[in-house]
Amino acid sequence: LKISGAITPGPNLIFYAKESGLGTKPLSLSKEEVKGASFEAEGKKIEIDIAYRLSELTRKVLGDRNATDEEILELFYYLPHMPSGESLLHPYAVFIVDGQAYDFPGPLTIHKAIVRHRNHVPAEGDEDLLKRFISLIRSIGTKHAHIKMGLFG
């Protein structure tokens, strides 16, 4: 039947897809088109709005270095929302400054103080702690070369 032409192969869809440029052109969506959407990475749901805000804050804090104190705190408020970010909230997480453990309260303590600050219910000592934290972050590139935070073995 195939030889007689009674059965013909279907169209070559791969050929048509390639000819139309499918898969060769980058997909581009505006920020407004994805507002309120989310995606999943490493089994964690991530809101696009938070991812965009984190990108802006990271640029301002670590790139341009023109972030306000509130923007520095906001960046570290949102970091645990990212994949692997929850490790920052582990009770044994620490700050490593220029390759050495830094004598400073851990990221969990800082995050809790930031949450209280954002909720307008600070605990005693939070204001001083957050000022010292902001100073530490601002010291990257001037006094300190690298600051890491998390669990280190």
Side-chain angles (χ1 to χ4, degrees):
L1 290 175
K2 191 174 182 182
I3 293 172
S4 70
I7 297 177
T8 60
N12 183 342
L13 297 178
I14 300 297
F15 170 79
Y16 289 108
K18 284 181 182 176
E19 287 297 308
S20 70
L22 184 66
T24 61
K25 297 175 185 169
L27 175 64
S28 179
L29 299 170
S30 72
K31 187 176 179 179
E32 291 74 32
E33 290 174 302
V34 294
K35 189 166 184 64
S38 63
F39 61 94
E40 194 167 309
E42 296 181 25
K44 190 169 192 171
K45 182 180 174 184
I46 299 168
E47 295 177 32
I48 294 212
D49 299 344
I50 291 174
Y52 268 117
R53 184 65 181 149
L54 268 169
S55 175
E56 293 167 3
L57 291 168
T58 300
R59 181 187 42 77
K60 289 183 87 171
V61 172
L62 301 174
D64 302 341
R65 302 198 190 274
N66 63 356
T68 66
D69 291 354
E70 287 300 317
E71 288 171 326
I72 291 171
L73 296 178
E74 185 181 3
L75 172 64
F76 287 93
Y77 172 78
Y78 282 123
L79 278 178
H81 291 79
M82 294 294 104
S84 305
E86 65 273 357
S87 69
L88 298 176
L89 302 183
H90 191 282
Y92 298 120
V94 296
F95 286 97
I96 303 291
V97 177
D98 295 334
Q100 300 294 317
Y102 195 64
D103 185 23
F104 196 78
L108 176 61
T109 301
I110 300 298
H111 191 265
K112 286 180 177 180
I114 291 170
V115 170
R116 289 190 297 268
H117 172 78
R118 288 176 61 94
N119 291 330
H120 306 289
V121 289
E124 187 177 330
D126 278 357
E127 186 177 338
D128 179 58
L129 176 63
L130 294 178
K131 283 181 182 177
R132 290 179 25 226
F133 175 70
I134 289 166
S135 178
L136 174 64
I137 298 306
R138 289 194 189 282
S139 74
I140 301 171
T142 54
K143 182 178 178 187
H144 300 293
H146 302 284
I147 296 176
K148 299 180 194 177
M149 61 185 130
L151 292 169
F152 302 96

